[in-house]
Amino acid sequence: MTIRVGCVPEHFSAPLLYALDHGGFKDCEIELVICKFGTGDMVKRLVAGELDVAICVTEGLIAGIANNKDADLRLFGTYVESALPWAVSVAQDSKFSTLDDLAFGAIFGISRIGSGSEVMARYASSAYEWKAPRFEVLGDIDGLVRGVQEKRVDAFLWERTTMQRHYDRNEVRYLGTVRPPWPAFSFGAREHFIRENSQLLCKFREAVSCAVQKFMEMEEKQRLTFVCEKLGYSQEDVRNWAAYVCFSKDMAVDQKRVERVSAALHRAGVVAEKLAFEDVVMTP
């Protein structure tokens, strides 16, 4: 059976892309489905049955679980243990100079409803005690960049390393970073898929863990060349990312961290109620 795995076309997916290119998934057949619109799109595809597994930003996946209860989505493992730095970007000629300048109830560009870009804007507004934000759906990263350039929105949030190329080209301006205290990426799937394919998903997690270990242990030059050529990052950006990123070694899920995310999303108004751990997580 081939597992359809959704992922973003970014550096975090590099170990999986490298493994696929070099025969690294011999014991577990995987089809990587690139989802450039991010977590909100992957949650939608999981619900529709177009994906078997999705590698989502953790907060977006848990919000998707809470807001799609009839779909029985579940988180079944941790992919990236380190926190994800979300860069807040504004127009080059914007009047904003600090994050708190957005406290008035700014309009944020988001890729789609339920996306990480929306969830994190709500989280930032709650954590920094801003007025409730407003939103405009602008699609992928190019649409978000155009949105602030054209003054349709005040700001947007996206992963920090991916944004660097846009800063280097003076397309938008960096305002600050929002870094939530939980793992960056987690694995999600429908409950029935996890239950019916427990052994297969255990092999999948083992294969991913092996792929990550081999990728991070290879010579730096080889790793840099692959990420730069495959995904369009600069060598400096990849070095900066590799210096902080920590992939999960055992793909295990930490109950306290899941409960922390659920509580933070509830405070931010992203979800109507805090979810119990067993309503979020199902391990194969």
Side-chain angles (χ1 to χ4, degrees):
M1 176 181 177
T2 299
I3 305 175
R4 299 168 298 173
V5 182
C7 66
V8 291
E10 297 176 4
H11 44 313
F12 291 99
S13 302
L16 309 182
L17 293 167
Y18 184 86
L20 277 180
D21 287 354
H22 295 81
F25 290 118
K26 294 180 181 179
D27 297 328
C28 184
E29 292 188 27
I30 292 175
E31 175 193 354
L32 281 186
V33 181
I34 302 300
C35 301
K36 68 176 183 176
F37 294 110
T39 291
D41 182 38
M42 285 189 277
V43 167
K44 182 179 178 181
R45 293 192 187 194
L46 280 175
V47 172
E50 297 171 3
L51 295 174
D52 301 312
V53 170
I55 304 175
C56 302
V57 292
T58 301
E59 60 274 10
L61 176 58
I62 293 178
I65 292 170
N67 295 326
N68 294 275
K69 289 187 176 180
D70 292 342
D72 291 324
L73 300 176
R74 291 293 184 269
L75 186 158
F76 71 89
T78 302
Y79 179 53
V80 176
E81 192 71 38
S82 49
L84 186 68
W86 289 84
V88 181
S89 302
V90 296
Q92 280 287 349
D93 59 351
S94 168
K95 63 183 178 181
F96 308 121
S97 58
T98 70
L99 289 179
D100 281 336
D101 289 338
L102 300 173
F104 65 93
I107 302 174
F108 283 86
I110 60 175
S111 57
R112 64 170 56 236
I113 298 298
S115 65
S117 51
E118 181 200 357
V119 172
M120 284 309 301
R122 293 187 183 277
Y123 167 79
S125 296
S126 171
Y128 300 145
E129 299 182 342
W130 299 342
K131 289 184 179 179
R134 293 164 288 166
F135 300 102
E136 182 168 341
V137 177
L138 297 172
D140 62 10
I141 185 64
D142 295 326
L144 292 167
V145 168
R146 286 194 301 271
V148 293
Q149 290 174 337
E150 297 168 0
K151 304 298 192 294
R152 293 169 60 190
V153 297
D154 298 307
F156 68 88
L157 287 90
W158 207 262
E159 193 274 328
R160 178 65 179 85
T161 302
T162 301
M163 284 307 304
Q164 188 59 49
R165 69 188 74 172
H166 300 282
Y167 300 143
D168 291 342
R169 295 196 293 253
N170 294 316
E171 296 174 349
V172 289
R173 177 165 56 84
Y174 170 74
L175 191 65
T177 295
V178 177
R179 191 187 299 266
W182 50 69
F185 286 90
S186 297
F187 299 106
R190 300 284 292 274
E191 183 177 329
H192 71 84
F193 185 83
I194 300 172
R195 189 185 302 111
E196 295 170 7
N197 299 279
S198 178
Q199 188 174 2
L200 180 63
L201 286 178
C202 286
K203 287 185 177 180
F204 166 75
R205 295 202 311 183
E206 290 172 5
V208 170
S209 181
C210 182
V212 166
Q213 182 178 351
K214 289 182 177 179
F215 185 79
M216 297 307 289
E217 288 178 352
M218 71 172 59
E219 291 185 6
E220 182 187 46
K221 183 178 179 180
Q222 184 181 4
R223 185 171 62 241
L224 287 173
T225 299
F226 179 80
V227 178
C228 294
E229 292 182 354
K230 191 80 171 181
L231 296 164
Y233 290 86
S234 72
Q235 289 198 3
E236 181 181 1
D237 291 343
V238 178
R239 284 196 185 94
N240 291 337
W241 166 70
Y244 83 78
V245 71
C246 177
F247 288 91
S248 177
K249 294 182 179 179
D250 58 8
M251 310 290 165
V253 180
D254 185 289
Q255 180 171 348
K256 289 185 177 180
R257 286 184 168 183
V258 169
E259 292 172 345
R260 184 184 301 165
V261 180
S262 182
L265 297 183
H266 180 250
R267 285 194 302 271
V270 176
V271 300
E273 58 183 0
K274 289 187 288 185
L275 296 180
F277 178 76
E278 57 269 21
D279 292 328
V280 176
V281 176
M282 173 181 278
T283 53

